[in-house]
């Protein structure tokens, strides 16, 4: 079957032109298992989710009442949903900014010949490897009311205990910080890889021309780090917009609904409030937001790369 | 060359004093960040060594008379060991499935770049944009219908699938870099595509497989959002959902929660210590897709 000539197909990839002569169309059977899995567990749910979003289904009743786009209308009048949308953006953008600044600074420092840098890199990256739920549980010991580290210090200083998650603004800020610190190692590693992949000859040529310190950093190092910047921003932003685990462990979305992200709000509407149709509509919106951000970001950052 | 060396030498002498100050500041900053990263682990260790009746400071661990009861309680009541076993089974299953199906799918996509196959490639890549929670409702409904909730195969199939697009992308890029003359040699010997792939190509995929194994393995091991709904039965839960539900149930007893969290974190920390190089290489390769 391998010797079967495949006619009339186009082969554009130059080095493989011959291969397509040998490998007939039957070789495409190799990706059929993957496609079957992807269609059953990703594509079908995506379509089925859209269908459910057009009903007022509670998640259990065999009857699903078609209500058109009513759920989407409700969505944009739901003050809680607007709040979760704002929170989601804060989680995404806030974490991305902190992680870029801190991650790049750490990478620049740990790229120098410093004693113990291997150990320090490993320590900084460590929390990123542990499940966010388990890290969240441990971060909780910093903020817990009765025995938490911060309140223990406050009491020792003769001050009153603080309920750290009582104020929604504080709670959102704490979630951003926890998420940023847990995953700052990821940005650091990406920037370190970028720094190590830099063209030595360009750096040497620049230093021959008398570039030092800031000048070198702004004109040479930074532009050459643009690919790493793109990678890191896309990764952090999407991670932040999808934030779920840390919120569930630290605040459970509370007080009230005030710290929910779209992801956690979906799970609450589905499992706690039995609003499957409504939750599905939010799922569709979440998918559209992530798809839009990813596409725009990749396009925008590509342009930036091109210019530098 | 000699000029630049001289320049650098002189620069060092001129900036020596400033340099030393800068170095101290850098060290201080790095040490503070490292401490911040270790604080949660430290606090968990402190909590886990104390019974809930112990009202001494939670910032220092007990060094004498350590209470192992928190750990035993986490195992007997929390079922942490069982959860670790469940995580091993589901992670192994999903990772093997992702590697085998991913590598197979990548072969025609790399070797037969027709217009149709290019479309298939970009279609698969686009699926990476679907956030797991956006399909929570339909996915959960579907798995309930086919009996995949509280089973091993349900989460294995779901989590393998969500890791497939990245795996296929990495395998495709790698197979493209393998010279086609290898396939050609196989053809000459009269081997079919199946034999060529499994006997000639597959053994060459070890480096990229290491990357895929680490990306998928760590991802599945740590997965919480979907697993916590697909696995609600305590005896079937993997560690992330198990620790979360146990911690919520034991909210008055922080020590037990801390012990459970530490035990759950340990396997991946040990793996990281031994395979650090691969973890970092895998992470970078996965990110720079």
């Amino acid at each position: 079957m391998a010797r079967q000539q495949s006619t009339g197909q186009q082969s554009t990839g130059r080095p493989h032109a011959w291969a397509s002569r040998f490998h007939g169309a039957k070789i495409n059977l190799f990706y059929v298992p993957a496609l079957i899995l992807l269609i059953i567990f990703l594509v079908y749910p995506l379509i089925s989710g859209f269908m459910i979003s057009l009903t007022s289904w509670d998640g259990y009743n065999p009857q699903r009442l078609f209500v058109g786009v009513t759920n989407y209308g409700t969505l944009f009048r739901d003050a809680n949903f607007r709040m979760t949308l704002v929170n989601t953006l804060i989680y995404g953008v806030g974490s991305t900014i902190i992680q870029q600044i801190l991650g790049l600074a750490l990478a620049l420092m740990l790229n120098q010949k410093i004693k113990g840098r291997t150990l320090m890199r490993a320590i900084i990256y460590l929390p990123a490897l542990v499940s966010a739920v388990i890290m969240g549980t441990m971060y909780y010991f910093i903020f817990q009311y009765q025995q938490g580290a911060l309140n223990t210090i406050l009491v020792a200083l003769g001050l009153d205990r603080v309920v750290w998650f009582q104020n929604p603004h504080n709670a959102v800020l704490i979630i951003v910080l926890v998420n940023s610190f847990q995953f700052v190692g990821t940005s650091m590693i990406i920037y370190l890889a970028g720094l190590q992949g830099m063209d030595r000859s360009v750096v040497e040529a620049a230093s021959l021309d008398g570039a030092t310190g800031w000048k070198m950093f702004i004109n040479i190092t930074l532009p050459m780090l643009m690919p790493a910047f793109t990678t890191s921003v896309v990764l952090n932003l999407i991670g932040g917009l999808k934030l779920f685990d840390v919120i569930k462990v630290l605040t459970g979305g509370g007080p009230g609904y005030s710290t929910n992200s779209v992801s956690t709000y979906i799970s609450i509407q589905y499992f706690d409030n039995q609003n499957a149709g409504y939750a599905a509509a939010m799922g569709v919106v979440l998918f559209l937001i992530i798809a839009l951000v990813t596409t725009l970001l990749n396009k925008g950052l590509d342009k930036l790369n091109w210019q530098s | 060359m000699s000029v630049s060396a001289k320049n650098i030498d002189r620069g060092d002498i001129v900036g020596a004093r400033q340099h030393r100050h800068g170095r101290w500041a850098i060290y201080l900053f790095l040490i503070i960040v490292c401490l911040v990263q270790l604080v949660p682990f430290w606090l968990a260790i402190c909590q886990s060594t104390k019974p809930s009746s112990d009202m001494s400071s939670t910032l220092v661990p007990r060094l004498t008379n350590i209470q192992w009861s928190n750990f035993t309680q986490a195992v007997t009541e929390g079922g942490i060991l069982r959860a670790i076993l469940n995580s091993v089974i589901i992670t192994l299953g999903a990772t093997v499935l992702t590697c085998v199906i991913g590598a197979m799918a990548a072969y025609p996509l790399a070797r037969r770049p027709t217009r149709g196959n290019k479309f298939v490639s970009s279609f698969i890549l686009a699926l990476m944009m679907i956030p797991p929670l956006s399909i929570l409702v339909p996915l959960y409904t579907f798995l309930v219908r086919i009996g995949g909730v509280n089973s091993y195969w349900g989460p294995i199939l779901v989590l393998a699938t969500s890791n497939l697009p990245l795996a296929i992308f990495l395998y495709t890029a790698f197979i493209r870099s393998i010279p086609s003359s290898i396939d050609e040699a196989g053809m000459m010997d009269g081997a079919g595509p199946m034999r060529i792939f499994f006997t000639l190509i597959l053994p060459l995929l070890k480096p990229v497989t290491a990357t895929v194994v680490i990306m998928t393995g760590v991802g599945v091991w740590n997965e919480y959002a979907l697993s916590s709904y697909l696995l609600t039965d305590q005896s079937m839960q993997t560690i992330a959902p198990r620790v979360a539900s146990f911690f919520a149930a034991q909210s008055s007893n922080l020590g037990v929660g801390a012990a459970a969290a530490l035990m759950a974190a340990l396997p991946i920390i040990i793996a990281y210590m031994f395979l650090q190089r691969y973890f970092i290489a895998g992470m970078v390769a996965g990110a720079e897709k």
Side-chain angles (χ1 to χ4, degrees), chain B residues 44-51 60-62 65-67 70-71:
Chain B
I45 292 171
C46 295
Q47 289 281 5
S48 69
T49 53
K50 288 173 188 176
V60 279
R62 257 198 192 191
N65 191 18
I66 293 174
Q67 287 294 306
N70 286 331
F71 289 90

Side-chain angles (χ1 to χ4, degrees), chain B residues 80-154:
Chain B
I80 294 301
L81 291 185
R82 173 75 207 206
I84 290 177
L85 176 71
N86 291 339
S87 283
V88 169
I89 294 171
I90 289 180
T91 305
L92 268 180
T95 308
V96 169
L97 207 60
T98 303
C99 288
V100 174
I101 294 189
M104 272 180 66
Y107 186 51
L109 296 176
R111 283 293 192 245
R112 201 169 182 277
T114 58
R115 195 179 291 175
N117 280 359
K118 277 182 181 162
F119 173 76
V120 171
S121 284
S122 36
F123 170 73
I124 291 174
L125 209 59
L127 293 179
M128 269 203 272
M129 290 194 295
I130 302 177
L133 261 291
S134 73
I135 52 169
L136 175 68
V137 180
L139 195 63
Y140 180 78
T141 313
F142 177 60
L143 275 148
V144 168
R145 207 168 60 213
I146 61 173
V149 172
N150 285 321
S151 72
Y152 285 132
W153 62 267

Side-chain angles (χ1 to χ4, degrees), chain A residues 111-133:
Chain A
N111 195 39
Q112 298 175 25
K113 283 202 181 87
I114 274 186
K115 247 184 220 144
R117 65 172 180 179
T118 319
L119 180 67
M120 288 197 272
R121 282 179 195 170
I123 290 174
I124 292 168
Y125 184 53
L126 182 64
L129 272 174
V130 179
S131 167
V133 167

Side-chain angles (χ1 to χ4, degrees), chain B residues 167-178:
Chain B
I168 294 175
F169 178 79
L170 293 173
Y171 276 120
T172 308
F174 193 86
I175 295 175
R176 277 206 193 107
S177 72
I178 298 174

Side-chain angles (χ1 to χ4, degrees), chain A residues 33-143:
Chain A
L35 279 186
I36 290 175
L37 278 181
L38 290 166
I39 286 168
I40 293 179
F41 293 105
L42 279 177
V43 179
Y44 166 70
L46 198 65
I47 297 166
S48 151
F50 179 69
M51 303 307 283
I52 294 174
S53 80
L54 301 176
T55 70
S56 63
W57 191 43
D58 63 0
Y60 304 95
N61 201 315
Q63 290 290 316
R64 298 180 192 186
L65 190 67
F66 180 81
V67 292
V69 293
T70 316
N71 284 328
Y72 293 90
T74 317
L75 210 53
F76 290 98
R77 272 177 277 116
D78 179 352
N80 283 332
F81 179 70
R82 275 203 300 271
M83 187 165 60
T84 40
L85 213 53
V86 172
N87 285 345
T88 303
L89 290 178
I90 296 175
Y91 294 142
V93 176
S95 310
T96 306
I97 293 173
I98 297 175
Q99 287 180 66
Q100 298 332 299
I101 296 173
L102 201 54
L104 179 59
L106 289 170
L108 287 168
M109 291 174 189
L110 287 171
N111 195 39
Q112 298 175 25
K113 283 202 181 87
I114 274 186
K115 247 184 220 144
R117 65 172 180 179
T118 319
L119 180 67
M120 288 197 272
R121 282 179 195 170
I123 290 174
I124 292 168
Y125 184 53
L126 182 64
L129 272 174
V130 179
S131 167
V133 167
I134 290 157
M135 273 323 288
T137 310
M138 297 203 237
Y139 278 112
Y140 184 70
F141 299 128
I142 299 177
F143 305 103

